[in-house]
Amino acid sequence: MRITDLLNPQSVRLGAAAADKAAAIDTLIALQEKGGHLADKAAYREAILAREGQGSTAIEAGIAVPHAKSEAVKTPGLAAMTLAEGVDYGAADKQPSDLFFMIAAPLDGNLHLEILSRLMVLLMDPGFAAKLRGAKTPEAFLAAIDEAEAVEEASMVLSLCQGYNIGYPIFFDTEKVAGDTGRADNISKAERTACAVAFCETIRNAGYQAGVYSYASWFYNQLNLANLGKYKIWIAQYRDTLSFNSRYDIWQYSSKGSVPGIPKAVDMNIGY
């Protein structure tokens, strides 16, 4: 699960003021409530304080990630906050904390550990943390996370490519999922393009060709094609004649092809 699947703009507050650790916690809990994640705000606060009683959730470098599993959680969620002036959160390095993520998780499962692990990996990059601290709007804050996760996903893809002789490009697939919804459906064209570029640049820097896959209307309306000039373009359009007013390298012309040895229909493509 992506971090941005659990964090929405309503649960992000930037440049806030907090007198101390308790005030920071209360602000984050209010953001969780605003995001619709809590069934019982008071009970969730008790769970957060109980976890803090076991040891501070500050992770040094001005970052803290308070978290708790509780029956008071209605839906899994995140809240995030930056402070204009950091507060003493009991960090081992004695530095005040000014960048916070709060995790709300239900009692069943270990989703909080999965999210905590993903956050730890991303937040250990000083450049990423600096982007979050410098964000001027919740949307910019979320866009920074989207880009970081695109790089992380590209790195995962690269790990899976080890040991294979790959001659074709590695593609970033961006499109609307039929019959489903996601936060990425509503991000801006610029944010979506930035994610594609972040993914492709990570692939290129590892020595592979990189590209972007989608269909015509998505390329036209949801991506800035001018920013994708360095990458291969794979266009899906199921018809006899391609109608696409831009450069392309591969045309996926059918989803009803057949290949000996494969019992189901397959996509058919022409590479140029």
Side-chain angles (χ1 to χ4, degrees), residues 14 36 53 62-63 78 94 106 123 132 137 140 142 150 168 190 203 208 224 232 240 242 247 267:
L14 306 176
I63 302 166
L78 283 166
K94 308 299 182 183
L123 290 168
L132 295 181
T137 65
L142 291 169
Y168 264 70
I203 298 298
Y208 296 93
N224 290 321
K232 301 294 185 180
D240 293 333
L242 177 62
R247 173 188 63 82
D267 295 335

Side-chain angles (χ1 to χ4, degrees), residues 90-115:
D93 63 359
K94 308 299 182 183
Q95 295 299 310
S97 298
D98 65 344
L99 174 58
F100 294 85
F101 284 88
M102 177 177 277
I103 305 171
L107 287 177
D108 59 309
N110 290 306
L111 178 64
H112 69 300
L113 296 180
E114 177 187 344
I115 298 302

Side-chain angles (χ1 to χ4, degrees), residues 25-43:
I25 288 173
D26 286 344
T27 299
L28 287 161
I29 292 173
L31 290 170
Q32 287 281 17
E33 184 180 42
K34 192 173 182 180
H37 303 302
L38 304 181
D40 188 328
K41 181 178 176 181

